[in-house]
């Protein structure tokens, strides 16, 4: 009786039942140096991911041999950190390029499902105060709950003729809105916005805005650059500083806000699938958005595990767009009053 080809694992067809690495690749058989150079992370971190994601990656399958969670995670990490489905990487763990693609999809889905567990603003008062203290220690800017900015990640042109993903440079991208703390831990990440939207429009439509206007702390603010409008909960630099106090405010603002630029560079340096050096993400906007968010989750988990010293700069094309800063001054009188009070109280 003929067996439908659709239920067979393509690795079985390619390698046969005796292919050794599909079932026998073991983390303990290789060095930490090999794991870091090939997959971007050390052994204990990978073990942690296996424990975290194992149940989600062990879902029932019709295929004759399911790929283990460990192998799926290695395949996905290899893609995130190298930016390409390299044949040698699949060979190293005993799976085909097609299976590499499935593994990336599975691990990405599992990480996205846990995004809110690892990317969120603190809620208890002690942690919020610690957040402010850390920012104040950087450059003397008080009351800061996070720094916010947008970054573009290049994607392939969608199949549909949708110009909403074409940015001001004529390239297809997603405009990703992120907030981080003083260490670079992400507190918010919205990765799905079309590249044609300017930063101020992304923020206006973002979940982040509704959170801060209806739910989050009233005794602090985010810092954003001049691509955003001044708000009661979002302090921006003065467009034309004139007094010594205004210059000091702008200097402290810039030094503090620079944290998120370093964070963007760090994420692109570790996750080369985002930095453009291997080309654009070859997925639909939705799948590309999920891959970016999965990398954000891994970024935060890695910081939790002390993997925060990444000195090598990102390479390749980094899609950053300059906004029309001169158009961003706010007419919100209450926001202007709060910024002026901040100037008088802390920078005069």
């Amino acid at each position: 009786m003929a067996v439908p080809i659709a239920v067979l694992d393509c690795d079985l067809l390619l390698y046969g039942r005796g292919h050794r690495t599909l079932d026998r690749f073991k983390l303990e058989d290789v060095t930490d140096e090999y794991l870091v150079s090939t997959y971007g992370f050390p052994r204990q971190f990978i073990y942690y991911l296996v424990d975290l994601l194992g149940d989600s990656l062990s879902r029932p399958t019709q295929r004759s041999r399911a790929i283990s969670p460990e192998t799926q995670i290695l395949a996905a990490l290899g893609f995130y950190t190298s930016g390409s489905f390299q044949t040698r990487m699949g060979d190293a763990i005993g799976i085909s390029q097609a299976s590499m693609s499935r593994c990336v999809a599975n691990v990405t889905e599992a990480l996205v499902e846990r995004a809110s567990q690892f990317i969120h603003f603190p809620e208890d008062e002690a942690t919020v105060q610690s957040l402010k203290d850390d920012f104040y220690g950087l450059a003397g800017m008080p009351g800061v709950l996070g720094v916010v900015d947008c970054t573009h990640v290049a994607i392939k042109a969608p199949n549909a003729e949708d110009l909403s993903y074409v940015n001001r440079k004529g390239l297809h991208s997603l405009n990703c809105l992120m907030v981080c703390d003083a260490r670079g831990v992400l507190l918010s990440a919205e990765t799905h916005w079309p590249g044609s939207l300017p930063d101020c429009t992304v923020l206006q439509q973002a979940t982040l805005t509704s959170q801060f206007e209806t739910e989050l702390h009233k005794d602090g603010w985010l810092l954003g650059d001049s691509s955003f409008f001044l708000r009661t909960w979002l302090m921006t630099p003065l467009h034309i500083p004139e007094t010594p106090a205004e210059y000091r405010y702008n200097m402290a603002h810039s030094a503090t806000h620079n944290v998120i630029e370093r964070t963007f560079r760090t994420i692109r340096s570790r996750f080369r699938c985002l930095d453009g050096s291997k080309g654009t993400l070859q997925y639909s906007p939705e799948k590309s958005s999920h891959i970016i968010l999965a990398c954000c989750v891994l970024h935060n988990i890695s910081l939790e595990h002390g993997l925060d010293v990444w000195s090598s700069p990102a390479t390749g094309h980094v899609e950053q767009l300059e906004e029309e800063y001169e158009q961003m001054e706010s007419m919100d009188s209450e926001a202007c009053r709060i910024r002026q009070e901040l100037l008088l109280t802390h920078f005069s």
Side-chain angles (χ1 to χ4, degrees):
M1 180 177 179
V3 179
I5 209 72
V7 305
L8 293 178
D9 193 310
C10 61
D11 295 300
L12 180 63
L13 295 175
L14 287 171
Y15 301 122
R17 294 189 179 276
H19 186 60
R20 64 178 183 84
T21 52
L22 182 62
D23 296 317
R24 297 182 184 177
F25 181 91
K26 300 295 182 183
L27 289 177
E28 57 267 25
D29 292 340
V30 296
T31 65
D32 269 331
E33 290 76 11
Y34 171 80
L35 291 173
V36 171
S37 65
T38 307
Y39 305 104
F41 294 94
R43 187 185 323 276
Q44 291 305 316
F45 184 87
I46 296 171
Y47 281 142
Y48 173 82
L49 292 182
V50 172
D51 289 339
L52 177 69
L53 308 178
D55 289 344
S56 296
L57 300 177
S58 300
R59 291 164 178 158
T61 176
Q62 287 183 308
R63 294 185 172 89
S64 56
R65 291 191 299 175
I67 300 175
S68 70
E70 181 178 291
T71 299
Q72 292 184 63
I73 288 168
L74 289 174
L77 292 179
F79 167 70
Y80 298 147
T81 58
S82 73
S84 61
F85 291 110
Q86 299 178 28
T87 302
R88 65 173 180 82
M89 189 168 295
D91 289 344
I93 52 179
I95 62 175
S96 66
Q97 186 167 328
S99 291
M100 280 279 296
S101 183
R102 287 202 306 273
C103 291
V104 171
N106 292 342
V107 174
T108 296
E109 179 182 353
L111 287 167
V112 167
E113 287 174 354
R114 291 160 177 78
S116 61
Q117 177 183 345
F118 293 100
I119 303 175
H120 56 81
F121 282 90
E123 297 182 355
D124 63 282
E125 291 185 10
T127 307
V128 171
Q129 187 58 51
S130 177
L131 193 65
K132 295 179 183 178
D133 292 343
D134 289 343
F135 275 118
Y136 187 79
L138 293 178
M141 181 70 74
V144 180
L145 300 169
V147 289
V148 58
D149 207 349
C150 288
T151 185
H152 284 253
V153 176
I155 63 171
K156 74 171 184 178
N159 292 330
E161 293 185 9
D162 188 349
L163 297 180
S164 66
Y165 292 95
V166 179
N167 61 39
R168 290 175 55 233
K169 290 190 174 182
L171 304 173
H172 292 84
S173 67
L174 291 169
N175 196 3
C176 305
L177 179 73
M178 301 187 193
V179 180
C180 74
D181 70 9
R183 288 183 54 228
V185 175
L186 294 173
L187 306 175
S188 177
E190 300 185 34
T191 61
H192 62 284
W193 296 102
S196 66
L197 295 182
D199 294 359
C200 60
T201 303
V202 169
L203 181 62
Q204 182 179 3
Q205 299 178 10
T207 301
L208 179 69
T209 293
S210 62
Q211 285 180 324
F212 265 82
E213 291 185 345
T214 61
E215 301 173 17
L216 287 178
H217 320 283
K218 304 298 183 182
D219 57 344
W221 39 72
L222 302 178
L223 294 189
D225 65 19
S226 297
S227 61
F228 300 115
F229 288 108
L230 179 72
R231 300 169 184 258
T232 56
W233 49 269
L234 177 64
M235 293 292 103
T236 60
L238 289 129
H239 181 49
I240 305 177
E242 297 177 346
T243 68
E246 290 175 346
Y247 276 104
R248 285 192 287 268
Y249 166 85
N250 271 14
M251 289 178 64
H253 188 291
S254 177
T256 307
H257 187 267
N258 188 51
V259 171
I260 197 160
E261 297 301 329
R262 295 200 305 269
T263 299
F264 287 157
R265 290 195 296 269
T266 291
I267 292 173
R268 291 179 185 274
S269 177
R270 169 138 284 178
F271 303 108
R272 293 296 172 85
C273 67
L274 307 181
D275 79 348
S277 63
K278 301 294 184 180
T280 62
L281 285 175
Q282 297 297 302
Y283 299 92
S284 68
E286 181 181 8
K287 289 184 178 179
S288 295
S289 170
H290 286 179
I291 287 172
I292 300 166
L293 185 55
C295 290
C296 290
V297 173
L298 287 172
H299 168 76
N300 275 10
I301 296 175
S302 66
L303 291 181
E304 282 188 8
H305 285 73
L307 304 177
D308 56 354
V309 184
W310 304 337
S311 57
S312 58
T315 60
H317 177 73
V318 177
E319 177 60 24
Q320 291 287 79
L321 302 179
E322 294 183 0
E323 298 292 336
E324 299 294 335
Y325 288 173
E326 64 273 17
Q327 298 179 7
M328 295 297 107
E329 280 297 332
S330 174
M331 300 305 292
D332 185 331
S333 59
E334 178 63 12
C336 291
R337 184 195 67 77
I338 291 174
R339 185 169 65 180
Q340 188 62 29
E341 183 178 326
L342 181 60
L343 281 163
L344 294 173
T345 304
H346 293 279
F347 296 98
S348 295

